[in-house]
Amino acid sequence: MGIIRKTKHFQKVLDQFSKQENAISANYLVSHFNDEMNKSTIYRILDKLEDDNIIHSFVGVHGLKWYAKCLDCTVKEHNDNHPHFQCEKCNEVQCISQTNNESKIIDAQFLVKSVFLTGICNRCFSTC
Amino acid sequence: MGIIRKTKHFQKVLDQFSKQENAISANYLVSHFNDEMNKSTIYRILDKLEDDNIIHSFVGVHGLKWYAKCLDCTVKEHNDNHPHFQCEKCNEVQCISQTNNESKIIDAQFLVKSVFLTGICNRCFSTC
DNA sequence: CGCATTATCGCAACTAAGTTGCAATAATAC
DNA sequence: GTATTATTGCAACTTAGTTGCGATAATGCG
Ligand SMILES: [Mn+2]
Ligand SMILES: [Mn+2]
Ligand SMILES: [Zn+2]
Ligand SMILES: [Zn+2]
């Protein structure tokens, strides 16, 4: 079980994920809410939100933990295992909508559960 | 520039990558060579080996840094950006030989440079 | 070989991300 | 309004990786 009481801190963290579609690093939230809440509070809220399948997590290029909002997940089942992409230049992380392409990666060699891509995003590519 | 002097420490670390094909975490090497060399020595050797395109690196599921041997890379050019797969159960990491599948992941949306997959490996799948 | 040069190493101290135990605070239910 | 207990802040800790510096050893040359 995750979130039980709807506290102000919980709402503030959740609002960040409603405000924008991209993924957010735990690290960013810690510094963003630096003078509003303690970092352990933030990590604990993120844990609980993930437990409830409200957000999902993964590790980015520099080993930091990233979170993004789940779209079609219930508390009981987590279907939201779409690929993620992180730009090496601007470090932004995007959730990629599910395509049927990704299942082709496997040659019956593994059971693939998550896909993480890195490279250069559109915006950074056009400005260099 | 990376490796200049071929020391015993350098040889020992390199041997680990010759001995086996799978990727090795920096962390594993630190504990494996615990009473033979200092951890900073290991990290520095790995840095230099990567500089020389003898090994390549990436970040695994738990945010640890992993290294594996480069196959067709010269000091000047690094072509070895094949996908990597880490098993969630046994934590082993494998380099996946390049297929043409992976290029299909992109829909002209990004320039994909690396692919990291997680899931269940063959061996773990058959024993559960 | 013997020596000078300097890359490499060990050590200890540090950084940065994330975790944990515990006492204080505040959300909820009655 | 009060009791219950989930949540929070704090401080201390853990773990992976980095850094500065003096000591060591690989290399090249006479
Ligand atoms: Mn996502
Ligand atoms: Mn590889
Ligand atoms: Zn970008
Ligand atoms: Zn496995």
Side-chain angles (χ1 to χ4, degrees):
Chain A
M1 98 230 95
I3 299 287
I4 295 182
R5 296 183 181 175
K6 299 208 169 176
T7 66
K8 283 182 179 178
H9 286 343
F10 155 78
Q11 265 307 333
K12 277 188 179 176
V13 171
L14 187 58
D15 281 354
Q16 293 294 311
F17 291 98
S18 310
K19 235 194 265 181
Q20 59 137 57
E21 306 239 311
N22 281 0
I24 306 174
S25 69
N27 202 36
Y28 166 82
L29 291 173
V30 168
S31 53
H32 183 255
F33 287 123
N34 188 33
D35 42 7
E36 293 182 65
M37 55 185 108
N38 192 269
K39 67 176 175 175
S40 52
T41 302
I42 294 174
Y43 283 110
R44 285 192 274 229
I45 289 173
L46 290 170
D47 271 358
K48 288 173 190 167
L49 285 172
E50 190 172 21
D51 261 13
D52 289 345
N53 287 340
I54 296 169
I55 59 178
H56 55 278
S57 75
F58 50 92
V59 169
V61 277
H62 301 299
L64 295 193
K65 206 163 183 190
W66 289 76
Y67 290 88
K69 213 174 170 183
C70 287
L71 297 176
D72 300 316
C73 301
T74 64
V75 183
K76 299 212 169 176
E77 205 171 3
H78 186 70
N79 316 301
D80 208 13
N81 51 354
H82 49 261
H84 295 98
F85 174 88
Q86 182 165 17
C87 175
E88 290 170 357
K89 300 252 165 156
C90 67
N91 277 324
E92 248 180 50
V93 177
Q94 298 173 34
C95 297
I96 303 175
S97 54
Q98 199 82 260
T99 65
N100 51 1
N101 287 328
E102 113 209 55
S103 53
K104 290 181 188 160
I105 296 170
I106 330 136
D107 342 35
Q109 217 179 347
F110 323 103
L111 173 62
V112 172
K113 288 192 161 187
S114 82
V115 178
F116 182 73
L117 309 171
T118 71
I120 315 286
C121 77
N122 240 343
R123 198 174 37 154
C124 286
F125 189 76
S126 56
T127 64
C128 76
Chain B
M1 98 229 99
I3 299 286
I4 294 183
R5 296 184 181 174
K6 300 207 168 176
T7 67
K8 284 181 178 178
H9 286 343
F10 155 78
Q11 265 307 334
K12 278 187 179 175
V13 171
L14 188 57
D15 283 353
Q16 293 293 312
F17 291 98
S18 309
K19 234 193 266 180
Q20 59 138 55
E21 307 239 312
N22 281 1
I24 306 174
S25 69
N27 201 37
Y28 166 82
L29 291 174
V30 168
S31 53
H32 184 255
F33 287 124
N34 188 34
D35 43 6
E36 294 182 64
M37 55 184 110
N38 192 270
K39 67 176 176 173
S40 53
T41 303
I42 294 174
Y43 283 111
R44 285 191 274 229
I45 288 174
L46 291 170
D47 270 358
K48 288 173 190 167
L49 285 172
E50 190 173 20
D51 262 14
D52 289 346
N53 288 339
I54 297 171
I55 59 178
H56 56 278
S57 76
F58 50 93
V59 169
V61 276
H62 301 299
L64 295 193
K65 207 164 182 190
W66 290 76
Y67 290 88
K69 214 174 170 184
C70 286
L71 298 175
D72 300 316
C73 301
T74 64
V75 183
K76 298 211 167 175
E77 205 172 3
H78 185 69
N79 316 302
D80 207 12
N81 51 355
H82 49 261
H84 295 100
F85 174 88
Q86 181 165 18
C87 174
E88 291 170 356
K89 300 251 164 154
C90 67
N91 278 325
E92 248 180 50
V93 177
Q94 299 174 32
C95 297
I96 303 176
S97 53
Q98 199 81 260
T99 64
N100 51 0
N101 287 328
E102 114 210 53
S103 54
K104 289 179 188 162
I105 297 169
I106 331 137
D107 342 33
Q109 217 178 347
F110 324 103
L111 173 61
V112 172
K113 288 192 161 188
S114 83
V115 178
F116 182 73
L117 309 172
T118 71
I120 316 284
C121 77
N122 240 342
R123 198 174 35 154
C124 286
F125 189 76
S126 55
T127 64
C128 78

